[in-house]
Amino acid sequence: MAKFTDHVAHENAVFIYSPSQLTYKFSDEHPFNQKRLELTMDLLTQIGALNAQQIVPPRTTTDEELLLALDADYIDIVKRAGHGYVTNAEGEPYGIGTEDTPIFPNMHEASASIVAATLTACDYVMQGKAQHAVNLGGGLHHGFKNKASGFCIYNDSSIAIRYMQKKYGARVLYVDTDAHHGDGVQFSFYDDPDTCTFSIHETGRYLFPGTGSITERGTGEAYGTSFNIPIDAFTEDDSFLYCYKEAMEEIVADFRPDIILTQNGADAHHFDPLTHLSCTMKIYQEIPSIAHDLAHKYCNGRWVAVGGGGYDIWRVVPRAWSYVWTEMSDFEQPHGPLPEKWLTRWQAESPVTLIPTWDDPSPLFEAIPRRAEITEKNAQTLEKALYTLRHKI
């Protein structure tokens, strides 16, 4: 086992990317659309926040690495499906060939490329080559060891955590701010006391995958290392950020991880077509900043970030994900108008009118009638979610 380094990192932050990640594509009509990576990278380039020297191409990944968190039979059927040897009926028990996760050409190769990018990010940070690393193409948090789920074939975060445990002996804190519960990662480490998972998400009452209640706390020696804050539909910025910040600070201080891995889904925004939260760009300006500060306070700066959900790829994801990178790379947080060149280029393709500024227009939506009730309920949920931590039970 190679122990990670505490030496000063060679680089502040690296951006892991390969065009192969764009081949993770179910269909032109599917809501999961990796074009959002192109949109984000172009926006960052236009404002001078991302240059070629900061972009690192991922290495390849091996089946042995995939097997850290996946079953061999599952990998085999994904390989065969991507080359036309599996029918939808044969793939359905494995979660592929379904409406959510249809079969597409070379799906194993595309999925493995995303895993490779996340592993590359982990190696850069754990080996001290960079303090921080991001793979916005990753964050496929619904995947299980033997089944695809919710647009996710291979769960790159689960594989990366197992990889960091095996290679570096690391204690990992996984933080998920996607509007959907990070079920695949949570249940992969539900009995592992050396991994802590924290997910803040819309309650599963009306939203896939339906899990993520406050009672899901881990099992055996890992009891108390799984944290969930299922917030109410129509939750707004201030309530979201209060719950996230309070929980993050207490969880990190208690667990004392060696590294923080954040999943940065951008689907809690009011515009997202698949969820029911009422947040604005304000939360995406704050979420990375809180993680960044805590990584430096407790983990010698070790922070890996991945992408995740986000289905308004035109108006929301590019701005939200840009804030992850500008925070990570210590680039001044952008405000004011978006670059005219970017707006002109992408408005020609966008089916909706682009937001021309970094901040959302205010007000973005009509006042929520139940705001006070929702805020109070979320505060109560936070208290219950942290009960085992605060009372050491």
Side-chain angles (χ1 to χ4, degrees), residues 284-336:
Y284 300 110
Q285 296 166 347
E286 296 293 329
I287 287 170
S289 174
I290 294 166
H292 192 186
D293 289 346
L294 291 170
H296 279 287
K297 185 174 182 180
Y298 292 99
C299 309
N300 199 38
R302 286 183 291 270
W303 173 30
V304 169
V306 292
Y311 307 99
D312 189 318
I313 71 165
W314 304 99
R315 296 177 295 182
V316 176
V317 179
R319 292 184 297 156
W321 281 357
S322 289
Y323 283 122
V324 176
W325 176 248
T326 57
E327 175 64 37
M328 183 174 272
S329 60
D330 293 328
F331 189 87
E332 184 177 356
Q333 190 176 87
H335 289 287

Side-chain angles (χ1 to χ4, degrees), residues 58 248 251 266:
M248 270 289 282
I251 291 168

Side-chain angles (χ1 to χ4, degrees), residues 70-131:
L70 300 175
D71 284 351
D73 288 349
Y74 176 57
I75 297 172
D76 179 66
I77 200 164
V78 172
K79 287 180 177 179
R80 291 191 292 113
H83 292 276
Y85 300 116
V86 175
T87 66
N88 286 345
E90 291 169 329
E92 190 170 359
Y94 297 90
I96 58 175
T98 64
E99 183 177 357
D100 273 0
T101 316
I103 293 170
F104 64 91
N106 299 309
M107 60 193 302
H108 164 78
E109 291 78 4
S111 302
S113 74
I114 289 173
V115 174
T118 301
L119 295 184
T120 302
C122 293
D123 277 337
Y124 261 74
V125 172
M126 299 305 286
Q127 293 174 13
K129 296 177 182 177
Q131 279 202 315

Side-chain angles (χ1 to χ4, degrees), residues 155-392:
N155 191 324
D156 58 294
S157 293
S158 290
I159 297 166
I161 294 169
R162 291 287 184 212
Y163 176 78
M164 288 189 286
Q165 288 179 325
K166 180 180 179 181
K167 186 170 183 178
Y168 303 106
R171 282 169 61 85
V172 182
L173 170 63
Y174 171 81
V175 181
D176 194 315
T177 51
D178 195 289
H180 300 85
H181 176 230
D183 57 338
V185 183
Q186 173 186 288
F187 290 120
S188 290
F189 300 94
Y190 209 55
D191 60 354
D192 184 349
D194 291 323
T195 297
C196 180
T197 62
F198 165 42
S199 178
I200 178 171
H201 48 268
E202 182 185 333
T203 172
R205 180 178 297 179
Y206 306 111
L207 189 69
F208 175 90
T211 53
S213 75
I214 56 174
T215 59
E216 295 168 21
R217 302 183 187 275
T219 187
E221 293 183 5
Y223 183 80
T225 60
S226 174
F227 295 91
N228 289 290
I229 302 178
I231 54 179
D232 249 20
F234 307 110
T235 290
E236 297 176 67
D237 292 336
D238 290 346
S239 180
F240 185 106
L241 288 172
Y242 171 75
C243 291
Y244 170 67
K245 188 173 189 292
E246 290 285 316
M248 270 289 282
E249 290 179 344
E250 293 192 39
I251 291 168
V252 178
D254 183 74
F255 185 71
R256 301 278 173 153
D258 296 315
I259 184 171
I260 297 175
L261 170 58
T262 62
Q263 194 267 20
N264 296 269
D267 49 3
H269 194 278
H270 174 73
F271 283 157
D272 196 273
L274 301 189
T275 65
H276 315 97
L277 298 177
S278 297
C279 296
T280 72
M281 206 51 56
K282 179 180 177 180
I283 70 167
Y284 300 110
Q285 296 166 347
E286 296 293 329
I287 287 170
S289 174
I290 294 166
H292 192 186
D293 289 346
L294 291 170
H296 279 287
K297 185 174 182 180
Y298 292 99
C299 309
N300 199 38
R302 286 183 291 270
W303 173 30
V304 169
V306 292
Y311 307 99
D312 189 318
I313 71 165
W314 304 99
R315 296 177 295 182
V316 176
V317 179
R319 292 184 297 156
W321 281 357
S322 289
Y323 283 122
V324 176
W325 176 248
T326 57
E327 175 64 37
M328 183 174 272
S329 60
D330 293 328
F331 189 87
E332 184 177 356
Q333 190 176 87
H335 289 287
L338 296 182
E340 190 62 37
K341 185 177 179 181
W342 186 89
L343 290 168
T344 300
R345 177 183 177 184
W346 296 111
Q347 186 60 72
E349 292 189 39
S350 174
V352 294
T353 301
L354 299 177
I355 302 293
T357 56
W358 284 97
D359 296 301
D360 285 321
S362 183
L364 187 63
F365 47 83
E366 294 182 8
I368 305 297
R370 296 175 51 248
R371 175 183 293 170
E373 179 185 339
I374 291 169
T375 300
E376 175 62 25
K377 186 174 181 181
N378 288 342
Q380 294 172 356
T381 299
L382 171 67
E383 293 294 318
K384 294 174 183 176
L386 296 180
Y387 185 84
T388 57
L389 185 155
R390 290 172 172 173
H391 295 273
K392 300 300 179 185

